[in-house]
Amino acid sequence: MRQFLSLLWLSLFSFSIFASAADYHEQLNLRPLPLSSLLASFNFRSNTTLDDFDKGNFRFFPRSLAQILQHAGTRELHLRFSLGRWDAETWGARPWDGAREGGTGVELWAWLEADTDEEADHKWLTLTNALSGLFCASLNFIDGTRTTRPVMSFQPEGDHSTVTNMHLLYGVLPHEVVCTENLTPFLKLLPCKGKAGIATLLDGHKLFDASWQSMAIDIRPICPPGGECVLQIEQTIDMVLDIDRSKRPRDNPIPRPPPGDQLPCDTSKPYNSHDTCFPADHTNQEWTLSQIFGKTVKGTCPLADSTIPPVCIQVPDSRSVFVSKDVHEKKNPDGLSRCFDIAPSTELEMMLPRLDEGASTTTDIVTPETPLLYAERSFTGHGQERGGVQTILRNPSPDTAVEFIYMESLPWFMRIYLHTMEARVAGHSHANKSLIQQVYYRPALDRARATQLEVRMRVPPASTVFLTYDFEKSILRYTEYPPDANRGFDVAAAVITILDPQPETIGSHGGGAAKSARRFAAYTLRTTSLLCSLPTPDFSMPYNVIIFTSTAIALTFGGMFNILVRRFVAADEGPEAGLAVVLGRLKGRLRGMLKR
Amino acid sequence: MSIQQPPDNGAENSKSPVNIEAVTPSNEAQTKKQPPPEKPSDVRRRSHIILSFWLIVLCLGLPIWWKTTTIYRADLPLQEMLDWSDGKACRPVFPLRISIQANALQEQEAQNLLRLTQHALDDLNDFSGHHLRLQLAPPSATEHHDRDSVLTIRLVPGDTTTAKFDPHEPVLDITYPPNGIPSPTSSSSPLATYVASQLRSTFAEEQATISYLLSTNSIPSDHRPQGLPSDVSDSLSKRTTRSLKYSPTYHLTFSLFTSGSLPSSWDIDGAIGEYMKPVLDVLSPIHNFTIDTQVQLYATPGVQNQVLNKEDLSSFINAAEWPLSPSIGGAPTVNFIVFVGNQTIAAPSQTPGDSDTLGPASHSWLIPQWGTVYLLPLADDTAHLPAEALKQPLLTFTSHLLSLTGTPQSGSLPLRLSTLSRIRSADLLLRASSTLGSLARLALALPSISIPSRVADGVSKTMHHLRLACETLGGPEGLAHARIAEAEAERAFFEKSMVGQLYFPDEHKIAVYLPLLGPVAVPLVMGLLNELKAWRKRRREAAEAGREKKRE
């Protein structure tokens, strides 16, 4: 991870140098992960000067998006489409330190320029509606009940020294299923449209087949010291591909277990007979780009900065990587990554061969960095009414405490009891009051506003903290239930922003005021989203109620009415009634017919 | 079981003395035991009970049910709305004042000339809605054009009779030979006829357009001239379908599309400033324009043929892949596309009407209500497009913009623009009126549609502004009022909450009402029927008893 970080910083640093020279840059980073996974990080970044932006002249910056930004008065925008779960136990720390990913579904936060809250809300509505059309996502469902205004968790990444009246709004749609129709507009925003350069690898079939994927769009103004202010759009796609799964042939995509004699066995384990097998965790196999992505990289985008190598891979120098000819390999000094320069019109094919049998498994991939914090969130509670949320936060570091902000935006129908919120170190039975340092809580309004909960807390070194609180599930109105009400209601992921302990030192490393602002968060992670099942009525209920009450009313009314208006006489005084009368009448009628 | 009793209507009606008489003398063996006669107070009480139940149902239940289930329909002035759409409420009249400046003439001479010209004009004119009225500008007036009149005629003595438009102001300069001044007694003059025919030809297009607009809407025929030639009305209908809907603001989007990676930059800013800005400035009193530009590489057109036929032109725009999304906000987008490629357009087909659609060099074509595509052949290695290379495309775009905004084709530019604003106000007026008519017809046709009060508000606002627009037609306020009226009418017509109620089928109502009302209604109705029968029987018996008494 340190290597990855350093590479990131290197690219950021080099960007700040070349910002004036080239306005577009793209790079693909490949990183083999344990258990035969592969992390592919695509990064596309383009700039336009604020002057050109205001005048409406667009070359690299997409016009369709710019028009929306101008119309909605948006100064900075972050949009995330994510799918799947990042397996931190196996894969380690997240790419980009978690700064370029969102919770499952769609996440959007933006800084809008507005004088009043109402104006900001109005612009936010415009923005979400327009983006929903542009990205074919249901962003227009981000209404007042899904919008919050985080206080502690987010800081602008860009340079907004001239603007004072900015409003941060945050909306999330955990239920949204990200799919190909979101990728197509995403690719349309790129200057080379996925027709040249690394974007040619992006294909909906592979991207949405990944174990985890996250598409991000970040727009921020950047003012380099002494230079002209630019508006930067950064598009990022990260995905973790399962190599075995990706290598399935296209014509036979149904996965089948391999026959017993082809099962890879873990040879380091002792076997007492030759017909037993412990399946190996990480099957050591070779892969090529075209096997995994279905195609090769078609040249480079001619607009891209040619000084930045388009493709990099993070494997130890001791491993050999085969590439097609005319591709120049450049090993980085850290010994753990290498980059490839491609001529504009050559195709890049890359092959990572299988390791020799004797080589130790520790050297074949770069060991993933341990993340600063592990987080898991789950529901507790019982019955249809009482619920609870428990978040397990584990600090793996043996000597450093982690300070972070835990943010949840909960739907209004989860009414939380704030007094039940407590943090407890594992192994202790009592809550530890010193763990929670600050709480910002904005209660929900029924059908109007979501609950917003931001907790600033710290986890001591090498310990696990349980953060728990209870809530009550409310009963919705009949028409408020979605068609699939029994599936449950998605609850958005909690956002955990780990604060940077020493912003100054890293700021000087990055070199610039903008950098130190960027380093507000050392690491960001999101828990998985939850599925909350609310008490769901039987939806034929209204008709049942109508029929049932009608019957009851009819019975009582009929009886009562008859009692009131009938005259009661002795049984032998009344007119003859019953079956005998009816039979007698029928007989008489029959007789009459026979006579005729 | 041979006893056949008369059908009995219930135990209660066997108490009257007649009944008892009828039964007691019966000679049947097994006489049935009869209940004792009912007390009259009991009978009365039963009637009261039934009556009160029915009163509750009718006086309380029905009104509550009616009140709670009725669909709100605001009162709409339906007849007035239909009048507007039929053109009965407003007679679009464009009084155009034309001032004549004749500083070289005597007052008397000028008045005489004016009278003769007006006569000549009235003889030529057959369209009452479009009336040209001449007036004499005071001799002391400055050289400048008078704001109230649409055109100023400047009469200047000269050698021959000539007419020339001032390029910057709506002024027509007419020179006349010294002998052209009519004598006070003459009843006709060549100069007056000449001026009249000049004026008529100047305003012929406007007249034709407005009468075309009136004829396509359901304006009664006596308000519009007959006999618009079919070719004129054809070309007018083509032009009106081509032009964009009126909007105070238009977004102009200039896009450079190329199928490869080059060229990737262009000097569009400079080119617009040089070649297009002057026309945009002239149009600025009527429309605002916002401009943005984009460069799009690796764009494949919808048609790959080398030679584009007429049918290919409509599918050339690759709408699925090219980012030409409509702009947000209310204003429509006009797209101007420069496509770098060496495709050519096949010679236009034989129909003469189409020839003006294609540019002179057949590099460009106009897409009605959308924009223009210009094919620009370039060398393969051109990386940057300078402003000079964009001159021809931008000039084409400029002329197409004028026809997309619906500007008439003849006359000087200032005159064309003032004509445009009159045509637009007539168009908006008619559009708003016909929307009102549609709304009225909709309200009449669908009795179960709900009409919220917002719609009524919109309608009343529309009619208010329509009335104002009708009074000030031809002026700038007329355009403003017509614009408001049109927007309000559209808003009223497309009111969202009107639609929801439509899809509630009547079967559902039956399913809800029947289980409740059926079982309740049966005893109530049966009780009422029995009571009525008993009452009739009682009356008959009472009458018979009375008759018998009389007989006695």
Side-chain angles (χ1 to χ4, degrees), chain B residues 94 150 206 210 246 285-287 405-408 414-428 473-480 482-483:
Chain B
F94 294 86
V150 291
E206 177 178 341
I210 287 175
Y246 177 81
I286 310 178
H287 301 289
T405 49
T407 319
L415 204 61
R416 281 160 77 183
L417 292 178
S418 75
T419 305
L420 176 61
S421 85
R422 282 192 294 279
I423 292 176
R424 282 305 196 186
S425 28
D427 188 24
L428 287 172
L473 208 58
E477 316 92 78
L479 182 61
R483 194 188 296 165

Coordinates of all heavy atoms in Angstrom, one line a residue, chain B residues 94 150 206 210 246 285-287 405-408 414-428 473-480 482-483:
Chain B
F94 N -53.4 44.1 -37.4 CA -52.1 44.8 -37.3 C -52.1 46.1 -38.0 O -51.9 46.2 -39.2 CB -51.1 43.9 -38.0 CG -50.9 42.6 -37.3 CD1 -51.7 41.5 -37.6 CD2 -49.9 42.4 -36.4 CE1 -51.5 40.3 -37.0 CE2 -49.7 41.2 -35.7 CZ -50.5 40.1 -36.1
V150 N -43.6 51.6 -38.2 CA -42.8 50.5 -38.5 C -41.8 50.9 -39.7 O -40.8 50.2 -39.8 CB -43.6 49.3 -39.0 CG1 -44.4 48.7 -37.8 CG2 -44.6 49.6 -40.1
E206 N -45.0 39.4 -45.2 CA -45.6 39.4 -43.8 C -47.1 39.1 -43.9 O -47.6 38.3 -43.1 CB -45.3 40.8 -43.2 CG -46.0 40.9 -41.8 CD -45.7 42.2 -41.2 OE1 -44.7 42.9 -41.7 OE2 -46.4 42.6 -40.3
I210 N -48.9 36.0 -42.2 CA -50.0 36.1 -41.1 C -51.3 35.5 -41.6 O -52.0 34.8 -40.8 CB -50.1 37.6 -40.7 CG1 -48.9 38.0 -39.9 CG2 -51.4 37.8 -40.0 CD1 -48.9 39.5 -39.6
Y246 N -41.2 29.5 -30.5 CA -40.7 30.8 -30.0 C -40.2 30.6 -28.5 O -40.9 30.0 -27.7 CB -41.7 31.9 -30.1 CG -41.2 33.2 -29.5 CD1 -40.4 34.0 -30.2 CD2 -41.5 33.5 -28.2 CE1 -39.9 35.1 -29.7 CE2 -41.0 34.6 -27.6 CZ -40.2 35.5 -28.4 OH -39.7 36.6 -27.9
P285 N -32.8 42.1 -29.6 CA -34.0 42.6 -29.0 C -35.1 41.6 -28.9 O -36.0 41.6 -28.0 CB -34.4 43.7 -29.9 CG -33.3 44.1 -30.7 CD -32.4 42.9 -30.8
I286 N -35.1 40.6 -29.8 CA -36.2 39.6 -29.8 C -35.7 38.3 -29.0 O -36.5 37.8 -28.3 CB -36.5 39.2 -31.2 CG1 -36.8 40.5 -32.0 CG2 -37.8 38.3 -31.2 CD1 -37.1 40.2 -33.4
H287 N -34.5 37.9 -29.2 CA -34.0 36.7 -28.5 C -32.7 36.9 -27.8 O -31.9 37.7 -28.3 CB -33.7 35.6 -29.6 CG -34.9 35.2 -30.4 ND1 -36.0 34.5 -29.9 CD2 -35.2 35.4 -31.7 CE1 -36.9 34.4 -30.9 NE2 -36.4 34.9 -32.0
T405 N -35.2 30.7 -36.7 CA -36.0 31.6 -35.9 C -37.2 32.0 -36.6 O -38.0 32.7 -36.0 CB -35.2 32.8 -35.4 OG1 -34.5 33.3 -36.6 CG2 -34.1 32.4 -34.4
G406 N -37.4 31.7 -37.9 CA -38.6 32.1 -38.6 C -38.5 33.5 -39.2 O -39.6 34.1 -39.4
T407 N -37.4 34.1 -39.4 CA -37.3 35.4 -39.9 C -37.7 35.4 -41.4 O -37.3 34.5 -42.1 CB -35.8 35.9 -39.8 OG1 -35.3 35.5 -38.6 CG2 -35.7 37.4 -40.0
P408 N -38.5 36.3 -41.8 CA -38.8 36.4 -43.3 C -37.6 36.6 -44.2 O -36.6 37.0 -43.7 CB -39.8 37.5 -43.4 CG -39.9 38.2 -42.1 CD -39.1 37.4 -41.1
P414 N -33.5 45.2 -40.6 CA -34.3 45.7 -39.5 C -35.8 45.5 -39.8 O -36.5 45.2 -38.9 CB -34.0 47.2 -39.5 CG -32.9 47.4 -40.5 CD -32.6 46.2 -41.2
L415 N -36.2 45.6 -41.0 CA -37.6 45.4 -41.4 C -38.0 44.0 -41.2 O -39.1 43.6 -40.7 CB -37.8 45.8 -42.8 CG -39.2 46.2 -43.1 CD1 -39.7 47.4 -42.3 CD2 -39.4 46.5 -44.6
R416 N -37.1 43.1 -41.5 CA -37.4 41.6 -41.4 C -37.6 41.3 -39.9 O -38.4 40.5 -39.5 CB -36.2 40.8 -41.9 CG -36.2 40.7 -43.4 CD -34.9 40.3 -43.9 NE -34.6 38.8 -43.7 CZ -33.4 38.3 -44.0 NH1 -32.5 39.0 -44.6 NH2 -33.2 37.0 -43.8
L417 N -36.7 42.0 -39.1 CA -36.8 41.6 -37.6 C -38.1 42.2 -37.0 O -38.8 41.5 -36.2 CB -35.6 42.2 -36.9 CG -34.3 41.5 -37.2 CD1 -33.2 42.1 -36.5 CD2 -34.4 40.0 -36.9
S418 N -38.5 43.4 -37.5 CA -39.8 43.9 -36.9 C -40.9 43.1 -37.4 O -41.9 42.8 -36.6 CB -39.9 45.4 -37.2 OG -40.3 45.5 -38.6
T419 N -40.8 42.6 -38.6 CA -41.8 41.7 -39.1 C -41.9 40.4 -38.3 O -42.9 39.9 -37.9 CB -41.5 41.3 -40.6 OG1 -41.4 42.5 -41.3 CG2 -42.6 40.4 -41.2
L420 N -40.6 39.9 -38.0 CA -40.5 38.7 -37.2 C -41.3 38.8 -35.9 O -42.0 37.9 -35.4 CB -39.1 38.4 -36.9 CG -38.8 37.2 -36.0 CD1 -39.3 35.9 -36.7 CD2 -37.3 37.0 -35.8
S421 N -41.1 40.0 -35.2 CA -41.8 40.1 -33.9 C -43.3 40.1 -34.1 O -44.0 39.6 -33.2 CB -41.3 41.3 -33.2 OG -42.0 42.4 -33.6
R422 N -43.8 40.7 -35.2 CA -45.2 40.7 -35.4 C -45.7 39.3 -35.7 O -46.8 38.8 -35.2 CB -45.6 41.6 -36.5 CG -45.6 43.1 -36.1 CD -46.2 44.0 -37.1 NE -45.5 44.0 -38.4 CZ -44.4 44.8 -38.6 NH1 -44.0 45.6 -37.6 NH2 -43.8 44.8 -39.7
I423 N -45.0 38.6 -36.5 CA -45.4 37.2 -36.9 C -45.4 36.3 -35.6 O -46.3 35.6 -35.4 CB -44.4 36.6 -37.9 CG1 -44.6 37.3 -39.2 CG2 -44.7 35.1 -38.1 CD1 -43.7 36.9 -40.3
R424 N -44.4 36.5 -34.8 CA -44.3 35.7 -33.6 C -45.4 36.0 -32.6 O -46.0 35.1 -32.0 CB -42.9 36.0 -32.8 CG -41.7 35.4 -33.4 CD -42.0 33.9 -33.5 NE -40.7 33.2 -33.8 CZ -40.6 31.9 -34.0 NH1 -41.7 31.2 -34.0 NH2 -39.4 31.3 -34.2
S425 N -45.8 37.3 -32.5 CA -46.9 37.6 -31.6 C -48.2 37.0 -32.1 O -49.0 36.5 -31.3 CB -47.0 39.1 -31.2 OG -46.6 39.9 -32.3
A426 N -48.4 37.1 -33.4 CA -49.6 36.5 -34.0 C -49.6 35.0 -33.7 O -50.6 34.4 -33.3 CB -49.7 36.8 -35.5
D427 N -48.4 34.4 -34.0 CA -48.3 32.9 -33.8 C -48.6 32.5 -32.3 O -49.4 31.6 -32.1 CB -46.9 32.6 -34.2 CG -46.7 31.1 -34.2 OD1 -47.7 30.4 -34.4 OD2 -45.5 30.6 -34.0
L428 N -48.0 33.3 -31.4 CA -48.2 32.9 -30.0 C -49.6 33.1 -29.6 O -50.2 32.3 -28.8 CB -47.3 33.8 -29.1 CG -45.8 33.5 -29.1 CD1 -45.0 34.5 -28.4 CD2 -45.6 32.1 -28.5
L473 N -51.6 44.4 -30.3 CA -50.9 43.5 -31.3 C -50.0 44.4 -32.3 O -50.5 45.4 -32.7 CB -52.0 42.8 -32.1 CG -51.6 41.4 -32.7 CD1 -51.1 40.5 -31.6 CD2 -52.8 40.8 -33.4
G474 N -48.9 43.9 -32.5 CA -48.0 44.6 -33.4 C -46.9 45.3 -32.7 O -45.8 45.6 -33.3
G475 N -47.1 45.7 -31.5 CA -46.1 46.4 -30.7 C -45.3 45.4 -29.8 O -45.6 44.2 -29.8
P476 N -44.3 45.9 -29.2 CA -43.5 45.0 -28.3 C -44.3 44.5 -27.1 O -44.0 43.4 -26.7 CB -42.3 45.9 -27.9 CG -42.7 47.3 -28.2 CD -43.7 47.3 -29.3
E477 N -45.2 45.3 -26.6 CA -46.0 44.8 -25.4 C -46.8 43.6 -25.9 O -47.1 42.7 -25.1 CB -46.9 45.9 -24.8 CG -46.3 47.2 -24.6 CD -46.6 48.1 -25.9 OE1 -47.7 48.6 -26.0 OE2 -45.7 48.2 -26.7
G478 N -47.3 43.7 -27.1 CA -48.2 42.6 -27.6 C -47.4 41.3 -27.6 O -47.9 40.3 -27.2
L479 N -46.1 41.4 -28.0 CA -45.3 40.2 -28.0 C -45.2 39.6 -26.6 O -45.3 38.4 -26.3 CB -44.0 40.5 -28.6 CG -43.0 39.3 -28.7 CD1 -43.6 38.2 -29.6 CD2 -41.7 39.7 -29.3
A480 N -44.9 40.6 -25.6 CA -44.7 40.1 -24.2 C -45.9 39.5 -23.7 O -45.9 38.4 -23.0 CB -44.3 41.3 -23.4
A482 N -48.4 38.1 -25.3 CA -48.7 36.9 -26.0 C -47.8 35.8 -25.5 O -48.2 34.6 -25.3 CB -48.5 37.0 -27.5
R483 N -46.5 36.1 -25.2 CA -45.6 35.1 -24.6 C -46.1 34.6 -23.3 O -46.1 33.4 -23.0 CB -44.3 35.8 -24.5 CG -43.1 34.9 -24.2 CD -41.9 35.7 -23.9 NE -41.4 36.5 -25.0 CZ -40.5 37.5 -24.8 NH1 -40.0 37.7 -23.6 NH2 -40.2 38.2 -25.8

